[in-house]
């Protein structure tokens, strides 16, 4: 079993390494669904789990992966956090610094600092995913600008929008991946690299 797991890890790592070797002339396409053209990263400024402010302005020039999580969610959220963390851990350090992975809370009343820290630790995403939480009145316009449904509104931890949206260095929305469909480490790495090199 250990040899099989090691083999899978090696194959995934080789696949990600191969992505970095794509020539510009290959013009690779995104593997996630491509949104309508010219939709830009909405404006926001929110604190992360460490209390440091993350603003959309400061992210310009980086490729940004944005998702929407609930630390009490037991279905898609752990998969998303783990996939993002595992993917970015395999990136070379210089490339990893060019990517910002952001999770925006969909239930700030339950996403307490303790709950968020436990969630990130359990999914080994403390070093790779910045989890943004603020009072509902601050998050409401952000949810609206991303056009997502929040678990705060549905009253069910597992019932909320949970896409992984990728924005290029200019802030243009270029790809969307979904847990249980096309969100895999290989697909996420591929689309991040296409956005980085686009």
């Amino acid at each position: 079993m250990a040899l099989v797991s090691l083999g899978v890890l090696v194959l995934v790592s080789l696949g990600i390494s191969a992505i970095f070797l794509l020539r510009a002339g290959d013009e690779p396409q995104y593997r996630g669904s491509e949104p309508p053209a010219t939709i830009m990263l909405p404006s926001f400024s929110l604190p992360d789990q460490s209390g440091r402010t993350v603003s959309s302005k400061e992210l310009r020039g980086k490729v940004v992966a944005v998702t929407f999580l609930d630390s009490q969610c037991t279905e898609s959220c752990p998969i998303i956090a783990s996939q993002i963390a595992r993917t970015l851990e395999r990136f070379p350090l210089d490339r990893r610094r060019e990517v910002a992975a952001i999770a925006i809370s969909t239930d700030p009343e339950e996403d307490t600092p303790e709950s968020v820290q436990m969630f990130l630790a359990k999914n080994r995403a403390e070093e790779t995913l910045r989890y943004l939480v603020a009072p509902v009145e601050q998050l409401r316009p952000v949810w609206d600008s991303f056009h997502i449904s929040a678990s705060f509104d549905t009253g069910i931890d597992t019932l909320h929008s949970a896409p992984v949206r990728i924005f290029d260095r200019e802030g243009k929305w270029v790809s969307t991946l979904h847990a249980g469909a096309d969100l895999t480490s290989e697909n996420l790495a591929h689309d991040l690299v296409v956005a980085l090199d686009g």
Side-chain angles (χ1 to χ4, degrees):
M1 181 65 85
L3 286 175
V4 172
S5 298
L6 180 59
V8 170
L9 181 59
V10 168
L11 286 173
V12 170
S13 297
L14 287 173
I16 290 173
S17 298
I19 291 167
F20 289 109
L21 299 176
L22 285 170
R23 298 185 309 273
D26 291 339
E27 296 182 7
Q29 299 297 307
Y30 290 102
R31 292 182 181 172
S33 56
E34 295 189 36
T38 70
I39 298 178
M40 306 301 288
L41 179 67
S43 178
F44 62 85
S45 181
L46 299 166
D48 69 8
Q49 71 270 21
S50 303
R52 291 174 295 180
T53 299
V54 178
S55 73
S56 49
K57 273 187 185 176
E58 75 181 34
L59 298 175
R60 193 56 66 92
K62 292 188 175 189
V63 167
V64 183
V66 181
T67 192
F68 308 88
L69 303 180
D70 181 322
S71 62
Q72 306 297 311
C73 172
T74 56
E75 293 182 4
S76 60
C77 295
I79 295 168
I80 292 166
S82 294
Q83 288 283 10
I84 291 173
R86 300 296 74 74
T87 301
L88 289 180
E89 283 172 0
R90 296 184 183 112
F91 270 47
L93 189 56
D94 60 331
R95 295 292 255 174
R96 196 185 312 169
R97 290 181 179 136
E98 297 178 282
V99 177
I102 306 294
I104 297 174
S105 171
T106 63
D107 191 352
E109 291 193 349
E110 288 192 349
D111 279 349
T112 63
E114 296 78 16
S115 180
V116 168
Q117 289 292 353
M118 283 179 59
F119 174 85
L120 292 174
K122 185 175 181 180
N123 296 290
R124 294 170 32 214
E126 308 102 312
E127 303 300 318
T128 49
L129 191 58
R130 298 183 76 178
Y131 200 119
L132 312 187
V133 185
V136 173
E137 56 269 21
Q138 277 184 265
L139 282 171
R140 175 76 60 199
V142 178
W143 296 335
D144 291 346
S145 65
F146 279 99
H147 302 285
I148 65 109
S149 297
S151 50
F152 176 82
D153 295 325
T154 67
I156 302 171
D157 295 329
T158 57
L159 187 56
H160 61 90
S161 302
V164 177
R165 295 182 186 168
I166 299 173
F167 297 82
D168 68 13
R169 293 180 187 273
E170 296 178 354
K172 187 172 78 171
W173 181 13
V174 292
S175 177
T176 306
L177 297 158
H178 297 89
D182 49 9
L183 178 63
T184 64
S185 187
E186 184 181 36
N187 286 349
L188 178 58
H190 177 277
D191 284 6
L192 289 173
V193 171
V194 173
L196 282 166
D197 293 342

